[in-house]
């Protein structure tokens, strides 16, 4: 594969990338590489020479055209081999290249995209601050305009590609003459090739998974030209929501290859592992676990297909919170469960960093935390739906889902389970369970749409039943919730040794 990646038919481009990546990781032994931080420079060079990020660069700048299908295909191919590598691409695509393509000033685009295509440059996004994690609207990083330059000062942390990225999108709030910060959010491009735009890394974090990706604490004290500021269509807050929702809508690309790898490895192991007179594959519990993993593969397929239709940069997804949060939270929960199942089925040999399952547990776990912890996202899904139910004056849950375009088809499959009223405030615990139910119903709605296009009926039917079991379990949990709180205790009556 060479510099003419934009001219190569996509199927050929993707197949070439997948084959080359697999061969490279076989040659370099990815299992052993995964024991050390980062990747050797020569390995990075070989990967970036395949032009994987060309899928997220507009055609007019020599890229493949920022087509969601092509972006998700690259993410999936990468995550089959390495979830860390796929996340590296995901950060570059969804959190840098797509927002720059959509909101960046034309004066800076050509140089940036050229460096990505010709020199393997990488970029990331800085939002999170030490004192303000998911509470991004209270960020303290500030910017002031002085003589056609923005001076940006603050502290950011947990940015993927810390110290490695050549470009950064940095969020901050404008400070007025009195030093008060604006409620709106501004985005700026920092080009670390320039000394005045370079970002100081104060500390590298010892993250327990995703060894390939450096994370750390960053001190920002930079000056950038006016044209390095992204231009929102309306407000900076909407631009931030549009960027984050698009990223969450494209999470399934990273999940797709990973889920398929977990399923392939688990199936192969269970067919080959003989216990007594038969193999693991013949056991009922194993069949159940493999069926769940297969359902996850099916549901993620539906997410990817839907994302291709709704998450392109020509769409405004700032208002698509329910759909975006459903995809991100559910696919990352499925990734973690699949890794856990593979390790459980693999026994002792699975519990090693050099095993794809053991590594998968640690690498997939942070996906449930970053870009909004899943508990928070499930709560937000419920809050949005309950608010809309109240606005529409509908108390019956199934009745409401039947008039919501995200769930109007799938609710018919679960009419019995979802036929109940909500007319009182719910505790946060119940809101989380309800959000998990909603995420599944939303995803099955997308699955039915994919099925209508010719996707496997057998896989669809199986996934529908797996989801039904989950819904029943979650609703039962909601109904059985007790108001349990931590009990104050002391050693006089809580030390078992005194009573033995």
């Amino acid at each position: 594969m060479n510099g003419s990646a934009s001219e190569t038919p996509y199927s050929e481009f993707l197949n070439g990338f997948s084959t080359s990546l697999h061969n490279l990781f076989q040659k370099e032994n990815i299992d052993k590489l995964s024991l050390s931080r980062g990747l050797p420079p020569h390995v990075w060079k070989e990967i970036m020479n395949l032009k994987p990020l060309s899928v997220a660069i507009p055609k007019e700048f020599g890229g493949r055209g920022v087509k969601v299908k092509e972006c998700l295909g690259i993410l999936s191919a990468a995550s089959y081999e390495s979830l860390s590598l796929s996340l590296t691409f995901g950060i570059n695509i969804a959190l840098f290249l797509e927002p720059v393509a959509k909101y960046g000033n034309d004066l800076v685009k050509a140089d940036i995209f050229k460096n990505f295509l010709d020199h393997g440059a990488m970029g990331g996004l800085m939002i999170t601050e030490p004192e303000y994690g998911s509470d991004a609207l209270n960020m303290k990083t500030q910017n002031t305009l002085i003589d056609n330059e923005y001076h940006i000062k603050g502290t950011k942390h947990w940015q993927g590609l810390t110290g490695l990225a050549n470009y950064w999108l940095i969020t901050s709030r404008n400070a007025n003459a009195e030093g008060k910060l604006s409620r709106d959010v501004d985005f700026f491009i920092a080009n670390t090739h320039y000394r005045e735009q370079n970002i100081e890394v104060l500390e590298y974090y010892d993250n327990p998974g995703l060894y390939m990706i450096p994370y750390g604490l960053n001190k920002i004290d930079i000056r950038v030209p006016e044209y390095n500021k992204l231009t929102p269509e309306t407000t900076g807050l909407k631009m931030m929501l549009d960027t984050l929702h698009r990223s969450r809508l494209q999470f399934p690309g990273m999940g797709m290859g990973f889920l398929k790898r977990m399923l392939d490895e688990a199936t192969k192991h269970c067919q080959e592992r003989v216990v007594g007179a038969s193999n693991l594959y013949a056991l009922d519990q194993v069949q159940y676990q493999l069926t769940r993993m297969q359902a996850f593969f099916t549901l993620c397929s539906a997410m990817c297909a839907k994302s291709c239709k709704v998450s392109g940069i020509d769409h405004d997804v700032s208002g698509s919170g329910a759909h975006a949060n459903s995809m991100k939270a559910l696919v990352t929960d499925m990734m973690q469960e699949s890794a856990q199942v593979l390790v459980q089925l693999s026994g002792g040999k699975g519990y090693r960093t050099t095993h794809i399952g053991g590594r998968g547990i640690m690498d997939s776990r942070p996906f449930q935390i970053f870009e909004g912890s899943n508990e928070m996202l499930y709560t937000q899904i419920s809050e949005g739906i309950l608010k809309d139910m109240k606005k529409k004056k509908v108390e019956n849950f199934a009745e409401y889902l039947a008039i919501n375009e995200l769930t109007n088809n799938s609710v018919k499959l679960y009419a019995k389970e979802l036929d109940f009223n909500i007319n009182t405030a719910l505790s946060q615990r119940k809101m989380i369970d309800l959000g998990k139910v909603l995420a599944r119903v939303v995803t099955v709605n997308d699955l039915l749409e994919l099925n209508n296009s010719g996707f496997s009926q057998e896989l669809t039917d199986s996934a529908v039943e797996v989801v039904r079991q989950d819904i029943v379990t979650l609703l039962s949990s909601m109904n059985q919730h007790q108001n349990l709180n931590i009990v104050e205790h002391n050693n006089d009556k809580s030390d078992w040794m005194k009573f033995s």
Side-chain angles (χ1 to χ4, degrees), residues 485-500:
N485 294 292
I486 190 168
V487 175
E488 294 289 336
H489 67 277
N490 57 64
N491 285 334
D492 288 341
K493 292 188 176 181
S494 61
D495 183 353
W496 68 269
M497 285 192 171
K498 293 182 178 180
F499 309 101
S500 303

Side-chain angles (χ1 to χ4, degrees), residues 147-199:
D147 298 330
N148 300 320
E149 282 189 331
Y150 280 98
H151 190 183
I152 307 166
K153 297 184 70 174
T155 306
K156 301 286 189 180
H157 78 156
W158 281 114
Q159 281 71 49
L161 307 180
T162 289
L164 182 62
N166 310 95
Y167 296 93
W168 288 100
L169 276 183
I170 301 173
T171 58
S172 62
R173 298 161 67 195
N174 184 253
N176 64 19
E178 290 78 40
K180 291 185 177 181
L181 300 181
S182 166
R183 289 178 58 84
D184 206 10
V185 176
D186 297 318
F187 281 67
F188 296 91
I189 300 169
N191 182 346
T192 64
H193 297 101
Y194 297 105
R195 188 177 61 181
E196 65 274 14
Q197 297 181 40
N198 208 15
I199 293 159

Side-chain angles (χ1 to χ4, degrees), residues 1 54 72 91 109 172 229 241 265 301 309 322-323 368 374 417 422 458:
M1 198 177 297
S54 63
L72 299 192
I91 292 168
K109 286 183 181 179
S172 62
K229 181 180 179 182
L241 284 174
E265 295 285 344
S301 298
K309 294 181 179 180
H323 211 164
Q368 296 174 293
N374 286 2
E417 291 82 3
I422 302 178
E458 292 80 7

Side-chain angles (χ1 to χ4, degrees), residues 443-475:
T443 303
V444 171
N445 209 72
D446 294 341
L447 176 57
L448 294 178
E449 188 175 315
L450 178 61
N451 179 248
N452 288 336
S453 301
F455 186 80
S456 168
Q457 188 65 52
E458 292 80 7
L459 289 177
T460 299
D461 291 342
S462 181
V464 165
E465 292 310 312
V466 168
V467 168
R468 189 186 309 279
Q469 289 188 15
D470 283 353
I471 289 174
V472 170
T473 301
L474 288 163
L475 291 179

Side-chain angles (χ1 to χ4, degrees), residues 344-361:
Q344 187 74 19
L345 291 172
S346 301
K349 75 173 186 179
Y351 195 63
R352 301 172 68 176
T353 307
T354 51
H355 188 275
I356 188 70
R359 192 159 68 244
I361 288 177

Side-chain angles (χ1 to χ4, degrees), residues 324-374:
N325 292 351
S326 293
M327 283 197 188
K328 187 272 180 185
L330 182 53
V331 76
T332 55
D333 279 354
M334 295 191 302
M335 290 162 68
Q336 174 68 188
E337 183 177 336
S338 286
Q340 293 281 359
V341 170
L342 174 58
V343 169
Q344 187 74 19
L345 291 172
S346 301
K349 75 173 186 179
Y351 195 63
R352 301 172 68 176
T353 307
T354 51
H355 188 275
I356 188 70
R359 192 159 68 244
I361 288 177
M362 297 307 296
D363 286 349
S364 63
R365 184 64 180 95
F367 279 70
Q368 296 174 293
I369 302 170
F370 57 58
E371 277 204 44
S373 69
N374 286 2

